[in-house]
Amino acid sequence: MKAEIGLEEMEKAYERLEGKIHRTPIMESSLIDQVIGLPVKFKCEHLQKTGSFKSRGALNSTLRAKEAGAKGVITHSSGNHGQALAWAAKSCGLPCTVVVPENAPPSKREAIAAYDADVRLCQPTVKAREEDCQRLSKELGYTVVEPFNEPDMINGHASIVKEIFEQEPETDSIFVSLGGGGFASAIAYYTAKTHPDVKVFVVEPQGKFLKQYLDEGTLPENDVVNTIADGVRVLRIGDYCKPIIEAHCKDNLITVNDDEIREAMRLVWTRLKQRVEPTACMALAALLHYKPSTVHRPMVILCGGNVDLNFLP
Amino acid sequence: MKAEIGLEEMEKAYERLEGKIHRTPIMESSLIDQVIGLPVKFKCEHLQKTGSFKSRGALNSTLRAKEAGAKGVITHSSGNHGQALAWAAKSCGLPCTVVVPENAPPSKREAIAAYDADVRLCQPTVKAREEDCQRLSKELGYTVVEPFNEPDMINGHASIVKEIFEQEPETDSIFVSLGGGGFASAIAYYTAKTHPDVKVFVVEPQGKFLKQYLDEGTLPENDVVNTIADGVRVLRIGDYCKPIIEAHCKDNLITVNDDEIREAMRLVWTRLKQRVEPTACMALAALLHYKPSTVHRPMVILCGGNVDLNFLP
């Protein structure tokens, strides 16, 4: 049986994951502090297992699926989630299949295969991904682990917040990039329950129209956003995620464009010396260009570091 | 008066620098461990102030020069040393001039200027660098801080070894890239005095002919090595460094070529997610291709992270 999203389940997930994932470090740069005009801390989640936060939720979901007797796990992913699930399945001794859009970056596809998962290419639409995943899950008898709209995943992701407040108790705000909304809603939910004075700012790519979706429930016809931030190209946020984002972050949405992301990326690469992916730079881009006046001790999450070797910002 | 190279002066330098430089972290990657077949630790000196180990020695030299009444400091450098000295001078409130070969990477030149140093371009030969530096030092009345052949510099650099053994007491070998020899001889000297069972392997770029120089005292006519590792292009090692390298590392020299450096760099960039410079990857390249059979717990020093934004390995 799938868990509910909730504080108790998040605490259980934290314990379930302890020692199996990295407690990722915090970094800072005096030059970036000067540029922003505040002491900025970076939570280095690109140094997590498989190079992204996704391993938190993927391992929680896989451990729960295994407890429930799953004979394998399957998902669809353009990269980081697939890699995380493949790693999680391997570390639990379960087989894994990942449906990957044929336009996903080669580095991510190869990395999924490197964790011994069976990679199946599909058309680059959300519909094709979901349909192929459902069909294969029936054929193989594997449990589907959704990339973001999945309570066990969200409960696992929340483990990062506990680490942040242990590492930097003075944090007064958290900046996180938002794609399907699983990570952002995990952070928003756990923070609201445990540190209600701390604001969570969610950062979307231009073209996602999250405010319009929250206000009116409508979205453009296309199902992907055109952005260099390939981790947040999905247009729709999950049904589990929407009410959480609505309740806690509706007034804390920031939209950034590709130029702003590139600028942030150059700072992270040259100053922090961290080779993170474009999606990971959205949170800093937000702080660079739209710094909220109430923010004094921001925590910027560098959510992933899986970027092709020949990518230049 | 300039210090002698020695254990007591190294301990004093450690105390002088404490709290003024970073205690850089250790990283590891399970994939790199698999590739090498050993648990490899990386000392992340590219996360040091100004992005390289040079800040250790430069600050020690500058603090000592200030104590002795210097009215400014001056050096010649293709990059990291100049940046480190500019930072050190600024943090001590002293003016600084850096003579920079006109072919140095733009990122390094700009970084020197960003610490308010006066940058003077010169012809790209060792002779021109040294002559311009001497002439300007007389004109300006500034104290010369040599890039590598300088006891205060070497005593300051040795502070890294104390950190390594506190952080990873099981280390049985240290791998470090060698250019002018200041850093390598600092590590070799301090390690020999405090941990005589630990081997220090020095890694040179192909074309440097260090073994020939140590054996016969002869060198090719040219004064720079043709390598992508721009931090170690100087052909000659310092007079202070030579006897130390001779005494402690003569049987522990490893030569790597540019392809081997690039291969190591791809691993560090994609697996450790650390954007280090080519010079910093020589130590891993040595371990990748010429792993000594006596080594079980190697510490690889990532010595710097100052690499142009458009560089691809």
Side-chain angles (χ1 to χ4, degrees):
Chain A
M1 205 188 90
K2 293 219 170 176
E4 302 280 304
I5 294 169
L7 192 59
E8 200 183 327
E9 288 299 330
M10 287 175 175
E11 299 291 359
K12 280 189 203 162
Y14 181 90
E15 283 166 31
R16 197 177 287 125
L17 298 176
E18 215 173 358
K20 298 188 180 77
I21 55 166
H22 292 311
R23 188 181 182 84
T24 53
I26 306 287
M27 291 192 184
E28 57 190 50
S29 147
S30 51
L31 184 122
I32 294 177
D33 289 356
Q34 274 176 41
V35 171
I36 305 286
L38 291 174
V40 183
K41 306 289 178 185
F42 292 88
K43 176 69 171 166
C44 293
E45 202 60 9
H46 64 296
L47 303 178
Q48 189 49 269
K49 292 275 183 192
T50 77
S52 93
F53 74 88
K54 292 275 189 182
S55 293
R56 296 179 183 267
L59 185 57
N60 191 49
S61 289
T62 305
L63 286 166
R64 293 263 304 155
K66 194 178 180 184
E67 277 168 30
K71 55 182 274 205
V73 286
I74 181 167
T75 195
H76 56 94
S77 165
S78 64
N80 283 347
H81 171 62
Q83 206 168 317
L85 191 69
W87 163 79
K90 191 179 179 185
S91 71
C92 296
L94 284 180
C96 177
T97 295
V98 184
V99 176
V100 178
E102 57 193 19
N103 64 346
S107 64
K108 297 197 175 182
R109 237 153 63 187
E110 287 157 20
I112 295 170
Y115 292 110
D116 301 338
D118 183 22
V119 173
R120 302 288 185 100
L121 296 184
C122 72
Q123 295 295 310
T125 67
V126 173
K127 191 158 171 263
R129 285 163 62 149
E130 290 177 350
E131 282 177 4
D132 283 19
C133 180
Q134 284 304 330
R135 180 178 49 76
L136 281 164
S137 99
K138 278 177 201 148
E139 281 175 33
L140 298 162
Y142 288 1
T143 301
V144 176
V145 179
E146 288 287 343
F148 48 84
N149 198 38
E150 157 92 29
D152 283 321
M153 186 73 57
I154 293 170
N155 290 331
H157 289 337
S159 56
I160 194 175
V161 183
K162 202 163 171 144
E163 288 179 21
I164 286 173
F165 287 107
E166 282 173 13
Q167 290 170 307
E168 293 294 331
E170 293 188 357
T171 300
D172 73 359
S173 50
I174 301 175
F175 288 74
V176 58
S177 53
L178 174 141
F183 193 40
S185 58
I187 291 171
Y189 186 96
Y190 190 90
T191 303
K193 297 291 177 194
T194 61
H195 294 79
D197 294 340
V198 173
K199 285 206 167 71
V200 175
F201 291 89
V202 295
V203 187
E204 61 159 1
Q206 198 170 62
K208 189 178 179 75
F209 301 105
L210 182 57
K211 192 167 184 335
Q212 174 188 318
Y213 185 53
L214 294 180
D215 285 343
E216 304 161 24
T218 58
L219 279 177
E221 288 284 306
N222 50 319
D223 60 11
V224 290
V225 183
N226 183 16
T227 168
I228 53 160
D230 58 282
V232 294
R233 283 200 181 129
V234 57
L235 185 68
R236 202 162 53 82
I237 64 170
D239 295 338
Y240 286 108
C241 310
K242 189 169 176 261
I244 300 175
I245 299 298
E246 213 153 16
H248 302 295
C249 307
K250 203 169 174 179
D251 298 326
N252 300 335
L253 300 184
I254 300 175
T255 308
V256 295
N257 65 37
D258 281 0
D259 285 344
E260 291 162 346
I261 295 171
R262 282 197 183 91
E263 185 186 348
M265 201 164 177
R266 290 192 290 266
L267 277 176
V268 176
W269 279 26
T270 60
R271 295 300 164 163
L272 287 180
K273 318 290 184 197
Q274 300 305 297
R275 211 163 163 280
V276 297
E277 58 188 79
T279 306
C281 300
M282 294 169 63
L284 178 61
L287 208 44
L288 266 175
H289 292 280
Y290 311 96
K291 183 177 71 179
S293 59
T294 52
V295 163
H296 303 289
R297 299 269 175 181
M299 177 66 66
V300 165
I301 298 180
L302 298 175
C303 60
N306 296 322
V307 52
D308 270 2
L309 201 54
N310 60 358
F311 183 93
L312 289 177
Chain B
M1 204 190 91
K2 295 220 169 176
E4 302 279 305
I5 294 169
L7 192 58
E8 200 184 327
E9 288 299 329
M10 288 177 176
E11 299 290 0
K12 281 188 202 162
Y14 181 89
E15 283 166 32
R16 197 176 288 124
L17 298 177
E18 214 173 1
K20 299 188 180 77
I21 55 166
H22 292 311
R23 187 181 182 84
T24 52
I26 305 287
M27 290 192 184
E28 56 189 50
S29 148
S30 51
L31 184 121
I32 294 177
D33 290 356
Q34 275 175 42
V35 171
I36 305 287
L38 291 175
V40 183
K41 306 289 179 186
F42 292 88
K43 176 70 169 166
C44 292
E45 202 60 9
H46 64 295
L47 303 178
Q48 188 49 269
K49 293 274 184 194
T50 77
S52 92
F53 74 89
K54 291 275 188 182
S55 292
R56 296 179 183 268
L59 185 58
N60 191 49
S61 290
T62 306
L63 287 166
R64 293 261 308 154
K66 196 179 179 183
E67 278 169 27
K71 56 183 273 202
V73 287
I74 181 168
T75 195
H76 56 95
S77 164
S78 62
N80 283 347
H81 172 62
Q83 205 167 318
L85 191 70
W87 163 80
K90 192 180 179 184
S91 71
C92 295
L94 284 181
C96 177
T97 295
V98 183
V99 176
V100 178
E102 57 194 18
N103 64 346
S107 64
K108 298 198 174 181
R109 237 151 65 186
E110 287 156 21
I112 294 169
Y115 292 110
D116 300 339
D118 183 22
V119 173
R120 303 288 186 98
L121 296 183
C122 73
Q123 295 295 310
T125 66
V126 174
K127 191 158 172 262
R129 286 163 61 148
E130 290 176 351
E131 281 177 5
D132 283 19
C133 180
Q134 285 303 332
R135 181 178 49 75
L136 281 163
S137 99
K138 278 176 200 148
E139 280 175 33
L140 297 161
Y142 289 0
T143 301
V144 176
V145 179
E146 288 287 342
F148 48 84
N149 198 38
E150 157 92 30
D152 284 321
M153 185 73 56
I154 293 169
N155 290 330
H157 288 335
S159 56
I160 195 174
V161 183
K162 201 162 170 143
E163 288 178 24
I164 286 173
F165 287 107
E166 281 172 16
Q167 291 170 306
E168 293 293 333
E170 293 189 359
T171 300
D172 73 359
S173 50
I174 299 175
F175 288 75
V176 59
S177 53
L178 174 142
F183 192 41
S185 58
I187 291 171
Y189 186 95
Y190 190 89
T191 303
K193 296 292 176 192
T194 62
H195 294 78
D197 294 340
V198 172
K199 284 206 166 71
V200 175
F201 291 89
V202 296
V203 187
E204 62 158 1
Q206 197 170 63
K208 190 177 179 75
F209 302 105
L210 182 58
K211 192 166 184 335
Q212 175 188 319
Y213 185 53
L214 295 180
D215 285 344
E216 303 161 26
T218 59
L219 279 176
E221 288 284 306
N222 49 319
D223 60 11
V224 290
V225 183
N226 183 17
T227 167
I228 54 161
D230 59 283
V232 293
R233 282 201 182 127
V234 57
L235 185 68
R236 201 163 51 82
I237 65 171
D239 294 337
Y240 285 108
C241 311
K242 189 168 177 264
I244 300 175
I245 299 297
E246 212 153 17
H248 303 294
C249 309
K250 204 170 174 180
D251 297 327
N252 300 333
L253 300 184
I254 300 175
T255 308
V256 295
N257 65 35
D258 281 1
D259 285 343
E260 291 161 348
I261 295 172
R262 283 197 181 90
E263 184 186 350
M265 201 166 178
R266 290 192 290 267
L267 276 176
V268 175
W269 280 26
T270 60
R271 295 299 164 164
L272 288 180
K273 316 290 183 198
Q274 300 306 297
R275 212 165 162 280
V276 297
E277 57 188 82
T279 305
C281 301
M282 293 169 61
L284 178 60
L287 208 44
L288 266 174
H289 292 278
Y290 311 96
K291 185 177 72 180
S293 59
T294 52
V295 163
H296 302 288
R297 299 269 177 181
M299 177 65 67
V300 165
I301 298 180
L302 298 175
C303 60
N306 297 321
V307 51
D308 271 0
L309 200 54
N310 60 359
F311 183 93
L312 289 176

